[in-house]
Amino acid sequence: MATPPPPRPRRSGREIQTLDEFDASLARPGGLAGLRVQSVDLTDRTFALLASSTAATLFLGCPMEPEAAAKVRADGALVFPPVPDLPFDPYRNRLYTPDELYEGVTGPGGYEATPDARSHAWFGVTRADGDVFSSMLRALHDDAVGDALDEHLAGHRVVGVMGGHAMARGTEAYAGAARLGRSLARAGYTVATGGGPGAMEAANLGAYTAPFDDPALDDALALLAKAPSFTPSVTEWARAAFAVRTRLPGGGDSIGIPTWFYGHEPPNAFARHIAKYFANALREEGLLARSTAGVVFLPGAAGTVQEIFDTTTPNYYGSRGAPAPMVLVDRAHWTVRLPAWPLLETLAAGRPMAAGIALVDSVDEAPAALARLAAA
C-alpha cells in the first residue's frame, strides 16, 4: 500500500502563515519585529498590532483595520495590502486544492463560475492590455506558489510523469498511465505531473487510488469513461472526477503543476495539491527541476519532446547535481515516430547521465526501470 509522505517541514522561524503562528509570535522577544506575515486575516488582531513592535515587519496581503495599518506603517513595517476584486490571492501561503479551484462547478454556472475559470479570464484580459500592475500581481502570485511548493515537497522523493493532454479517459493508454501513478505512489514516491487532463490526470488518478484495493482504480476508470474528454464540456469532465472522489474519499497524495497560460487545459481533480502558475515557463522549469527522483515520459508530441530535452540539459551539464533518472515509454514512439531516444542516447554517451536513462516497451515496465536506474 502507499507509503505516507514525510511530514511537512518547518519553515523559517520568520514566516507567519496562520493566526496560531501569529498569536504565538507575540510572546517572542521583539514581538512581531522583522517577521514576514503572509496572507493572514488580522482584522481581529488590532489590539495586538497596536501593542507590539512591528519595525521591519513585512505584511503580505493581510487584511487589517485602518488604525492598525496606520500604526504598523508608522513603525516602519512594509505593507502589501490585499487587492480587491481579484479571483485569486497573489500573496497566498499554500498550494491550491481541487475543491478550491473548482468551487461552484456543481452549481448552475458550471465551470465558468469557478475561481479557476475566472482566474484564466482575468489573465486573458490583463495579458492583452499590458498593465504593469497586473503583471506584478502575476509575478507575486507565481513566486508565492513556488515557495509553497518547495515547502510542501521538501523531503519527498518526487517522480515526474510527463505526457500529453489529449489522452482520453476510457482508453488503454489512460488506464496504463493510471497504473503507473499507482505503482509509483505505492513505492513511496510523490507523483508530480503537469496537472492537466489526459496522461497527467491519469497519473494523478493512480496516485489518488493507491491507498485503496486494486478494484478501486478499475471502478474509477469506468466512471470517468462516461466523460472521456474535457471537450466539449469542462463542466461534465470535472463533475465526473468529483463523483469518483465522492465515492473514494481521502485518496492518496500527489502534485499537479498546471498553468493558466493554456486555457484549454483545465486542472485535474485528482492531484490533492496543485501549484498553478500564470507563467508557463516557471511551471515547466518548476515541475522538471523538482522531479529529483526521476522522470517518466509517456508517448506525447512537441510538449513532451521539449520536456525530455529540458530534463536532458541539466543532466548533461550536471547543473542540478546528480542526473535525474529518465525513463521513456514506448520504443516505437520514441525511436520511429518521434526519434528522441537516439539523440538522447548519443548525448548521454560517455557522461554520468548514461547510466540514468532507459527505454521500455510498455508503461507497466516503467516502475521497475526507474528503480533500476535509481539503484545504479
Side-chain angles (χ1 to χ4, degrees), residues 14 99 186 237 264 366:
R14 300 177 69 195
D99 298 279
R186 288 179 174 177
W237 176 82
H264 64 286

Side-chain angles (χ1 to χ4, degrees), residues 324-350:
M326 301 173 64
V327 178
L328 277 61
V329 175
D330 191 330
R331 189 177 305 273
H333 186 85
W334 294 121
T335 61
V336 180
R337 287 188 288 274
L338 290 175
W341 174 256
L343 179 54
L344 175 60
E345 198 174 31
T346 300
L347 285 168

Side-chain angles (χ1 to χ4, degrees), residues 95-164:
L95 298 178
Y96 291 100
T97 66
D99 298 279
E100 183 178 4
L101 288 174
Y102 278 108
E103 183 182 4
V105 74
T106 58
Y111 174 68
E112 297 306 319
T114 66
D116 186 70
R118 291 187 290 112
S119 294
H120 176 254
W122 177 90
F123 180 35
V125 171
T126 60
R127 182 171 56 171
D129 66 23
D131 178 57
V132 66
F133 181 55
S134 298
S135 177
M136 183 190 73
L137 292 175
R138 295 195 299 267
L140 285 170
H141 169 274
D142 285 0
D143 186 71
V145 166
D147 181 62
L149 184 60
D150 284 336
E151 290 173 356
H152 181 85
L153 290 180
H156 289 238
R157 294 191 300 156
V158 181
V159 171
V161 177
M162 307 297 132

Side-chain angles (χ1 to χ4, degrees), residues 104 121 231 312 369:
T231 58
T312 298

Side-chain angles (χ1 to χ4, degrees), residues 123 194 257-263 265 275-280 283:
F123 180 35
I257 307 180
T259 176
W260 280 295
F261 186 83
Y262 297 122
E265 284 193 13
K276 190 152 193 179
Y277 291 85
F278 288 106
N280 185 55
R283 172 262 194 135

